[in-house]
Amino acid sequence: MDAAPAVEWILACRPGFEGEAAAEGRLALAAHGVPVTEPRIAPGLVRFAFDGPIDRGRLPDPHRLIFARTAWPAFARLSTLDPRDRLTPLLAALDAVAATVGDVWVETADGEEGTALAGFARSFEAATLAALKRARRRDPSSQVLLRVLAASGADLALALDDRGALPPGRGGIPRLRLPRDAPSRSALKIEEAWLTLLSASERVRALAPGMTAVDLGAAPGGWSWQLARRGLAVTAIDNGPLAASALATGRIRHVRADGFRFRPPRPVDWLVCDMVEQPARVARLVADWLARGDAHAALVNLKLPMKKRWEETVGCLVALGDAIDALLPPSVAAAAARPDAPVAGTRFALRARQLYHDREEITVLALPLGRRTRSGPAPGGRPGPTSTAISRRRAPRRSSP
Ligand SMILES: C[S@@+](CC[C@H](N)C(=O)[O-])C[C@H]1O[C@@H](n2cnc3c(N)ncnc32)[C@H](O)[C@@H]1O
């Protein structure tokens, strides 16, 4: 794909979290040696304009940011467009960087302003595709995706992406449907976490029938239900009741207990945790499970109701990372001046994301790096789960959407 230089790097985030996305984007750009400018903020958008074109290869990987859902490395910005003809300037700007494109997405920010533009985005996407076809500039076999961010009807930013490395949906928002028998909307949160925090091959290896999981703060059971649908045997910890559809899976054992006290008799493959509690306390709990080998991997939601959400995120992830010898997400590593590649002894990768289905919270994955031996104890604690549980399981029969 033609790697058109970027004149602007635009991040999409949850409305209200522009400050966190800006702080993170600034750090990520600085860590990549890109001169940092003060971003312009609009609801759901953080826009870093560059003084001159920047080589795309110098921009941070948006998939590894926490508060950005997607990024547009814009090669052109078309502002004050005449609403009677937006296509001529768009095609002229495209001329300079690509002969043909495979597809077009017209995207908007999340929130009220983006919703108000949804109708325009749909019709402009169809019009752009038709114009490209007429000009013989659409080649369905091409991997090049033209992404048009419509900040308003008169302000467009254009970026090119590889169709093979698409964000999960327009605006970085995956279109997931809640099955009718899902116990809660939280079921979508864990599904989105698997989609965005694990690669396709990691999903196959890490979520296989026959594995085991403990779900702390499980009621009414959306996360447990999703794990059970993938064939895992789940111990669901909550003093509250589980939905009938969760219990009907036959793979969930409900234990009424305090999630901060419960420990499994044998190590499990997964610890998942969605308890509404102080994030630092939850991070310490998860660190303790992983460090002692009570769980092999963890997926945890950290609630962020406080004002200094970026600082809290960095503090929690650094403390968790230090406790389990983990590689931090790059922006957190930059904030804490820590290594951004595994060093000797690194046992886990920490990945984190404010998902579309997250509100004032982020979801954090701790995934073991490399393999452990069947007999070898987990460093610093009890033996790990039987054998190299996550890396050696058979591929699951996919039962979920
Ligand atoms: C956000 S809800 C979990 C939703 C769940 N993930 C789902 O998918 O349906 C939080 C749950 O954590 C539980 N909880 C909070 N503190 C807890 C504790 N100390 N021990 C066990 N459960 C706790 C609450 O009872 C509540 O049911």
Side-chain angles (χ1 to χ4, degrees):
M1 194 194 77
D2 298 342
V7 295
E8 196 177 8
W9 192 53
I10 309 169
L11 305 180
C13 66
R14 183 179 180 82
F17 283 77
E18 295 83 3
E20 287 71 22
E24 187 180 23
R26 218 180 271 125
L27 272 163
L29 285 170
H32 281 238
V34 176
V36 182
T37 53
E38 199 47 41
R40 281 192 310 125
I41 305 279
L45 295 175
V46 176
R47 310 184 64 143
F48 292 93
F50 304 128
D51 286 339
I54 296 278
D55 183 356
R56 281 272 308 254
R58 289 180 65 195
L59 294 177
D61 178 356
H63 297 114
R64 303 185 72 195
L65 297 176
I66 300 170
F67 288 97
R69 293 178 183 154
T70 189
W72 294 270
F75 65 83
R77 172 158 183 213
L78 311 175
S79 36
T80 61
L81 282 170
D82 181 345
R84 287 168 303 184
D85 181 18
R86 302 176 178 95
L87 284 170
T88 304
L90 183 151
L91 293 177
L94 188 62
D95 268 347
V97 294
T100 57
V101 301
D103 204 357
V104 178
W105 279 6
V106 177
E107 301 168 84
T108 58
D110 190 11
E112 279 174 28
E113 297 184 22
T115 306
L117 284 166
F120 163 73
R122 266 194 306 276
S123 61
F124 190 60
E125 187 172 294
T128 307
L129 271 169
L132 287 166
K133 221 167 162 182
R134 275 196 306 277
R136 297 184 186 284
R137 298 190 57 187
R138 180 169 187 218
D139 170 5
S141 70
S142 161
Q143 280 298 100
V144 178
L145 172 72
L146 172 63
R147 298 180 66 195
V148 181
L149 168 66
S152 75
D155 183 352
L156 309 180
L158 312 183
L160 297 180
D161 251 323
D162 187 333
R163 284 165 89 185
L166 291 183
R170 287 168 178 73
I173 300 174
R175 300 286 165 212
L176 302 177
R177 187 173 296 165
L178 188 69
R180 212 177 318 146
D181 54 341
S184 63
R185 280 197 68 74
S186 291
L188 293 180
K189 203 188 288 185
I190 195 167
E191 191 183 354
E192 185 186 352
W194 288 334
L195 261 182
T196 46
L197 295 175
L198 291 167
S199 69
S201 59
E202 286 172 339
R203 271 197 298 281
V204 169
R205 283 199 305 273
L207 295 164
M211 286 185 170
T212 52
V214 168
D215 182 358
L216 301 179
W223 288 27
S224 291
W225 177 82
Q226 289 281 31
L227 288 158
R229 289 209 313 160
R230 287 185 175 250
L232 279 78
V234 186
T235 305
I237 310 298
D238 206 305
N239 280 314
L242 289 191
S245 62
L247 296 171
T249 61
R251 295 202 185 94
I252 299 173
R253 187 171 68 95
H254 184 192
V255 177
R256 292 180 190 273
D258 180 353
F260 285 94
R261 289 174 176 271
F262 176 85
R263 287 298 162 126
R266 276 177 301 284
V268 293
D269 292 299
W270 280 97
L271 167 66
V272 302
C273 172
D274 192 19
M275 290 190 288
V276 182
E277 249 295 342
Q278 289 170 23
R281 189 171 180 219
V282 173
R284 277 197 301 276
L285 179 72
V286 173
D288 197 45
W289 273 67
L290 293 171
R292 288 165 43 126
D294 282 333
H296 193 47
L299 186 73
V300 50
N301 197 270
L302 299 181
K303 314 294 172 186
L304 299 172
M306 65 288 299
K307 279 206 176 110
K308 296 194 164 182
R309 297 180 293 210
W310 172 246
E311 290 80 357
E312 186 73 23
T313 298
V314 172
C316 286
L317 294 187
V318 169
L320 173 56
D322 282 351
I324 60 171
D325 299 320
L327 179 64
L328 299 171
S331 54
V332 174
R338 295 297 172 87
D340 59 1
V343 293
T346 303
R347 295 166 55 207
F348 292 91
L350 282 187
R351 301 174 191 166
R353 176 53 73 101
Q354 186 179 37
L355 305 167
Y356 173 67
H357 293 96
D358 279 337
R359 293 170 188 266
E360 287 203 312
E361 56 202 341
I362 59 169
T363 302
V364 180
L365 171 78
L367 197 66
L369 288 169
R371 294 174 173 221
R372 291 194 213 170
T373 57
R374 182 177 283 271
S375 55
R382 295 162 35 189
T386 47
S387 84
T388 54
I390 283 183
S391 53
R392 289 178 22 166
R393 301 273 184 181
R394 275 185 297 119
R397 282 186 298 275
R398 263 197 77 115
S399 55
S400 59

